[in-house]
Amino acid sequence: MGDHYQTLGLQRDASKADIKNAYFRLAHRYHPDHHNHVDAAARAEAARRFRQAKDAYDVLSDYHRRAEYDHNLRRSSSSSSSGYRTSSSSKQGNRQGGGSSSSSSSSTSSQHGHGGSRSRPRPPDLQRVLVG
């Protein structure tokens, strides 16, 4: 998947306008319609980069998806620097909404456009109100 900020060439504190400008610049550069005159390998590479830019923009341009992405990015960088932590991540999941870690990971994968519906899951506090 890669780092969405890196894909768009942005810093983590990029504004919404910065994200939009970076996406449009890359979308124009790598759009498949602009690569009809090149060989198949170059077309495939351009299409791959276009999809990466689109995925990055889809996540970073949406406030809730970006917040979740940033949270997961911080959590993964802190766990990779201090070793593998299973107990703290499961406790944190229970504190935030009472859901299991498997439901959290499945909603994350659907948010990034890799299967499932395109609908966004409700924030954990709304899930508790509606379910409980």
Side-chain angles (χ1 to χ4, degrees):
M1 174 173 99
D3 181 352
H4 291 319
Y5 292 102
Q6 196 172 39
T7 297
L8 296 179
L10 298 169
Q11 298 293 321
R12 303 231 186 285
D13 60 350
S15 70
K16 201 161 187 161
D18 292 336
I19 293 166
K20 184 177 180 178
N21 290 334
Y23 167 68
F24 281 118
R25 178 178 39 83
L26 291 173
H28 181 72
R29 181 181 301 162
Y30 296 117
H31 195 279
D33 290 347
H34 294 257
H35 293 84
N36 288 334
H37 59 283
V38 296
D39 62 49
R43 268 195 312 273
E45 178 65 13
R48 183 186 68 79
R49 288 182 182 229
F50 179 78
R51 280 191 307 274
Q52 281 181 327
K54 172 99 173 76
D55 288 345
Y57 177 74
D58 287 345
V59 171
L60 298 179
S61 65
D62 181 278
Y63 175 79
H64 297 291
R65 291 176 70 185
R66 182 178 181 180
E68 183 177 345
Y69 176 78
D70 288 343
H71 174 76
N72 290 338
L73 198 62
R74 282 190 304 272
R75 188 172 55 177
S76 70
S77 67
S78 68
S79 66
S80 66
S81 65
S82 62
Y84 185 73
R85 292 189 266 169
T86 56
S87 60
S88 65
S89 63
S90 62
K91 287 178 188 174
Q92 186 177 23
N94 289 337
R95 248 191 326 237
Q96 289 183 351
S100 70
S101 60
S102 63
S103 67
S104 171
S105 64
S106 64
S107 68
T108 302
S109 65
S110 66
Q111 285 183 353
H112 295 289
H114 303 291
S117 69
R118 298 291 292 174
S119 65
R120 192 173 343 141
R122 289 188 172 96
D125 55 333
L126 289 179
Q127 286 177 343
R128 273 187 270 142
V129 170
L130 296 175
V131 175

